[in-house]
Amino acid sequence: MESQHYFSAQPSGPDTRRPLSVVLAGERRELVTSSGLFSPDGIDKGTAILLDTVPHPQGTRLLDIGSGWGPLALTMALTAPEAQVTAIDVNERCLALTTENAQRLRLDNLVAAAPEDVGEALEFDTIWSNPPIRIGKQELHALLLRWLPRLAPDGSAWLVVQKNLGADSLQRWLGEELPEDFTVRRAATAKSFRVLEVRRGQ
C-alpha cells in the first residue's frame, strides 16, 4: 500500500501517470497507474487470488466495489463484453485511471463512478470486490450493507479477504446481517486469503 490515504476522495501526492504492464483475462495489457491508490504497481495478491477463483461473470449488470486502477472491472469488461460493468471508488484518481485504462483497451462497456452517482434502483447480477478492509470495521460493514443487498435475484458476489484481517468473522457477520434470501459461504482458501461467495436466492 503506497499511501495510507488511498481510500480518500482526493489522495495526497502528485498524480503522475506511469506505465503499467499486467496480464488481464489471459493477455498482457499496457495500462497506466499513479500514486495515492492501493497496489499501484501491479495486481496485489488478494486480487490475483480472486481472479483465479471466480467463475465467468454472469448476467448483464456487473459491479466492482473499490476499483483501484481497475483490474477487476477491466477483467469483467474483457470477459463479458455483452455486459455493462460499473466500477465504483471514492478515490477520484482511481476513477480517472479506471476510465483511462478502459479507453486504452477500447472497452465501451465499463463506467467508473463515485458511489453516489450510481442509480439507487440498479441491481447487479455479479459483484466482485477486494474490499478495503483497512477503512475500519464500521465503515466496511456500511459499505458492504450498501452494495451486497443490491444483488439481483440469483446473483452472486465474490469477495477476497485476508484471514488475519477477519475473513472468518466477516463471513459470519454477513450471514447474520444480510436478508434471509442471501447465503454466504467460503468458496476457497489460498495462501492467507479467503474467497467468500454471497448469493441471493431467486
Side-chain angles (χ1 to χ4, degrees):
M1 181 165 54
E2 182 171 310
S3 170
Q4 62 180 335
H5 303 297
Y6 70 85
F7 43 80
S8 302
Q10 296 177 325
S12 59
D15 183 8
T16 304
R17 297 289 196 272
R18 56 182 187 270
L20 176 66
S21 181
V22 295
V23 175
L24 295 176
E27 294 185 17
R28 183 155 295 278
R29 318 285 178 173
E30 303 305 322
L31 307 174
V32 291
T33 186
S34 184
S35 59
L37 57 142
F38 177 67
S39 191
D41 299 320
I43 300 174
D44 64 284
K45 290 180 181 178
T47 296
I49 288 168
L50 186 67
L51 288 171
D52 285 343
T53 302
V54 292
H56 188 90
Q58 301 297 307
T60 58
R61 295 160 299 178
L62 316 180
L63 176 67
D64 171 16
I65 303 172
S67 68
W69 53 261
L72 293 179
L74 294 168
T75 300
M76 282 180 153
L78 287 164
T79 56
E82 74 290 348
Q84 179 63 48
V85 180
T86 301
I88 60 168
D89 206 297
V90 299
N91 186 320
E92 295 173 357
R93 194 173 296 175
C94 289
L95 297 178
L97 285 168
T98 299
T99 298
E100 184 171 342
N101 285 327
Q103 292 170 347
R104 283 174 171 263
L105 298 180
R106 299 180 180 179
L107 297 170
D108 59 6
N109 62 329
L110 193 163
V111 173
E116 61 270 18
D117 294 331
V118 179
E120 293 185 5
L122 192 62
E123 292 185 330
F124 300 94
D125 302 303
T126 299
I127 297 174
W128 289 357
S129 183
N130 181 353
I133 300 295
R134 296 181 187 276
I135 62 176
K137 182 179 291 187
Q138 184 175 353
E139 291 81 1
L140 175 69
H141 286 179
L143 175 71
L144 295 177
L145 286 183
R146 178 177 182 177
W147 295 103
L148 294 181
R150 295 176 66 170
L151 276 173
D154 205 30
S156 60
W158 299 81
L159 314 175
V160 62
V161 183
Q162 275 189 274
K163 287 188 288 186
N164 65 353
L165 293 181
D168 294 340
S169 60
L170 181 64
Q171 178 184 347
R172 289 192 296 271
W173 179 83
L174 287 171
E176 295 167 355
E177 295 294 327
L178 288 171
E180 289 185 359
D181 57 337
F182 284 71
T183 58
V184 184
R185 73 179 184 97
R186 183 193 307 164
T189 298
K191 299 180 180 178
S192 60
F193 292 87
R194 307 278 204 214
V195 176
L196 307 180
E197 181 191 11
V198 178
R199 177 169 287 277
R200 180 180 177 185
Q202 296 189 15

